[in-house]
Amino acid sequence: MHTSGPGAPPILLQQQAIVGGALPTTLYDQPKPPGAFRKYWNKIGGGSFLVSLLIHVGLLVAAYFMVQTIVQEKKVDFLPGGGSKAGQDASQQLSQQIRNKKQTLNKSIPMRKVVSSSVNAAISLPDMPMDSLDMPEMSSVMGAGSMGSGGFGNSGAGGGFGSGIGTGGMKGFVARTVFGNLGGTGGVPGVLYDFKQDRKGKPQPYNANGYFQLVKAFADKKFSATEMKGYFQAPQQMNFTFLAVPLLAAEEGPKAFAVEKDVQPRGWLVHYTGMVTPPENGEWRFIGYFDDLLAVYINGEPVLDASRDDLVNLGESKPDMDLRQPWGGRGVLNGKCMVGKWVNLNGHFKIDILVGERPGGQVGGLLLVENRKEKYKKTDYDLPILPLFTVGKPDKEDMERMRAFSEKITGQIGGLELKNIPIFTAGTVADRARSMLNPGIGLLPARGN
């Protein structure tokens, strides 16, 4: 029986006592000798090999995950090449994406009508968000020598003979119309009057039958501003470059001056006046037609009445029939051209051009010019093909408008002369003062057509 309490001999001594009192060697369980495979494994260093193998496997697994992460971070799409159909399709798709992006960035700003409260003010522009403007490169602005031709040249385009302000698009932020350039400079300035309203816009009596009497009174006063001070005047001025108006609705007159909401399409008058210099001294005459009113005065004297009805000779005891001669009996648009007097132009002269609409309905017409010594091409009915009276050199857009108008009247008066256009030059206030001392005009007797 074993004891383990206090005072009892240790268990080992108890075992020694059992075997006879001698202290034997302590016995432990001996390990089993290794098998033949283990002996061979240890002999060839299998343990070290296994450890090395596990380490390499771990490194390979880690490297695999690292490579996968790097490759999947950013994928690059390559377009098929070699001229294959797949390559062409991919190229077209990429080009379409670029075009869509440009269209999104370059969305045009809708044009709004602009009205200024001052006759002499430059045209006012609507506020435009800067992020919608496609600004030019600095090199294109600075390297061209001027802002007009470098970075801020012709912009926009119109074309054709649309209505009102939309006719010609924009040139340097100036609205082009069939009646000239709204708010621009460089031509013959003009303003629109409305006989149906007083200067403050209050309606007043108007009779279409008395329209020509009102215009004639203005002309007889040598176009004095006081004669028109009682009538409404459009805030923005127009600058005449040439007159070539296809048949349009009568409201296109007020619309061109951006007052279509204020002026009804009848009883309106446009008066252009300024100093002009001919391209060369010599004998000239004007030819034209307009529905309803077209008259030309030089230094205050009438030289052409090409209105639908008689204006200049209205109420005159001695009519001057040389102002209104039928031009070959040919019709143009919805009327007939009239030819005026031959005039000897030498240097600067003052010109007044009247255009207007009496009862409403349609407007349309043109103003041509002829040089006595010039040899013009002729139609098969022996009528010269003449150029438009043009102030300032026409640009590409102007030529497109002239060409389009010429096509409209080719079957009537043979079209327009478009290659040899005499360019009249607009003058200055100093030119006006000089012309008063030495008027550059001499009225000549008519010598046939």
Side-chain angles (χ1 to χ4, degrees):
M1 182 174 184
H2 298 284
T3 61
S4 58
I11 295 174
L12 182 59
L13 294 179
Q14 294 177 12
Q15 292 175 346
Q16 291 173 351
I18 293 173
V19 296
L23 188 64
T25 304
T26 303
L27 300 176
Y28 294 97
D29 292 333
Q30 296 296 321
K32 294 181 180 180
F37 175 79
R38 187 165 182 176
K39 288 181 180 180
Y40 178 75
W41 179 262
N42 291 334
K43 183 177 180 180
I44 64 174
S48 300
F49 173 77
L50 181 60
V51 172
S52 177
L53 181 62
L54 291 174
I55 291 174
H56 281 79
V57 170
L59 291 174
L60 289 174
V61 171
Y64 171 80
F65 284 107
M66 289 178 65
V67 171
Q68 284 292 102
T69 303
I70 294 173
V71 170
Q72 292 178 1
E73 269 185 357
K74 186 174 182 180
K75 294 182 178 180
V76 180
D77 294 329
F78 293 91
L79 298 177
S84 64
K85 185 178 186 304
Q88 295 175 0
D89 293 341
S91 298
Q92 291 176 358
Q93 184 178 1
L94 180 60
S95 299
Q96 184 62 39
Q97 290 174 356
I98 294 173
R99 284 194 298 270
N100 293 340
K101 192 170 184 179
K102 286 184 177 180
Q103 289 173 0
T104 303
L105 293 175
N106 296 328
K107 284 183 178 178
S108 61
I109 302 168
M111 190 168 80
R112 291 178 282 179
K113 291 193 170 52
V114 181
V115 179
S116 169
S117 59
S118 171
V119 176
N120 298 321
I123 191 166
S124 301
L125 296 175
D127 293 331
M128 295 182 288
M130 291 302 293
D131 57 357
S132 64
L133 297 179
D134 188 11
M135 299 301 291
E137 297 281 342
M138 285 304 296
S139 60
S140 65
V141 176
M142 304 302 293
S146 68
M147 295 188 74
S149 59
F152 298 94
N154 295 346
S155 61
F161 284 92
S163 61
I165 291 181
T167 298
M170 302 291 284
K171 177 184 179 183
F173 296 118
V174 174
R176 295 190 182 194
T177 81
V178 290
F179 290 91
N181 296 336
L182 181 62
T185 59
V188 178
V191 295
L192 180 142
Y193 296 99
D194 183 11
F195 290 124
K196 306 182 301 298
Q197 305 178 67
D198 65 15
R199 60 184 301 179
K200 295 183 179 180
K202 182 180 178 180
Q204 61 185 17
Y206 167 74
N207 185 346
N209 293 328
Y211 175 83
F212 284 111
Q213 285 86 344
L214 295 173
V215 177
K216 182 171 173 57
F218 182 36
D220 288 345
K221 294 288 185 173
K222 305 300 181 183
F223 307 102
S224 170
T226 57
E227 184 68 23
M228 302 298 287
K229 66 180 182 180
Y231 300 110
F232 174 83
Q233 179 178 330
Q236 276 290 349
Q237 82 172 21
M238 186 74 68
N239 271 272
F240 176 98
T241 51
F242 58 88
L243 187 68
V245 182
L247 289 176
L248 300 172
E251 54 260 28
E252 296 306 329
K255 189 175 181 181
F257 284 80
V259 290
E260 70 272 23
K261 294 183 179 179
D262 304 308
V263 178
Q264 304 237 343
R266 59 190 180 90
W268 53 264
L269 165 71
V270 179
H271 173 224
Y272 303 96
T273 183
M275 300 303 299
V276 173
T277 304
E280 61 177 286
N281 295 339
E283 297 180 33
W284 301 79
R285 68 176 177 179
F286 296 91
I287 301 97
Y289 164 77
F290 202 88
D291 180 2
D292 285 295
L293 167 69
L294 174 60
V296 178
Y297 292 73
I298 294 182
N299 288 345
E301 297 296 326
V303 296
L304 171 68
D305 181 4
S307 307
R308 192 173 181 88
D309 296 316
D310 197 338
L311 164 72
V312 176
N313 288 324
L314 184 65
E316 294 290 335
S317 57
K318 295 182 179 180
D320 186 352
M321 303 310 297
D322 291 339
L323 299 172
R324 190 177 171 82
Q325 308 168 61
W327 194 48
R330 304 298 300 185
V332 63
L333 299 177
N334 62 346
K336 290 186 178 182
C337 275
M338 297 292 174
V339 60
K341 290 183 175 182
W342 285 105
V343 182
N344 192 9
L345 299 178
N346 296 302
H348 308 296
F349 61 91
K350 178 177 179 286
I351 189 168
D352 292 277
I353 303 172
L354 300 176
V355 176
E357 172 60 26
R358 178 179 61 175
Q362 286 185 315
V363 294
L366 73 166
L367 180 59
L368 307 171
V369 68
E370 182 179 6
N371 187 334
R372 168 88 75 173
K373 67 180 183 179
E374 186 70 33
K375 302 297 182 182
Y376 298 98
K377 294 180 180 179
K378 291 190 176 183
T379 63
D380 54 3
Y381 37 86
D382 202 35
L383 198 65
I385 299 175
L386 301 177
L388 292 167
F389 171 64
T390 305
V391 181
K393 185 177 180 180
D395 61 16
K396 181 179 179 181
E397 215 172 309
D398 293 328
M399 293 303 303
E400 289 175 355
R401 288 177 52 201
M402 290 181 180
R403 191 172 294 108
F405 187 83
S406 178
E407 292 175 358
K408 291 179 180 293
I409 62 172
T410 297
Q412 298 175 330
I413 59 172
L416 300 173
E417 168 59 50
L418 297 174
K419 292 183 179 180
N420 184 20
I421 302 175
I423 307 301
F424 287 72
T425 306
T428 63
V429 175
D431 298 331
R432 179 191 293 267
R434 285 194 296 271
S435 71
M436 298 303 175
L437 299 175
N438 182 25
I441 176 176
L443 296 181
L444 303 173
R447 293 195 221 162
N449 294 334

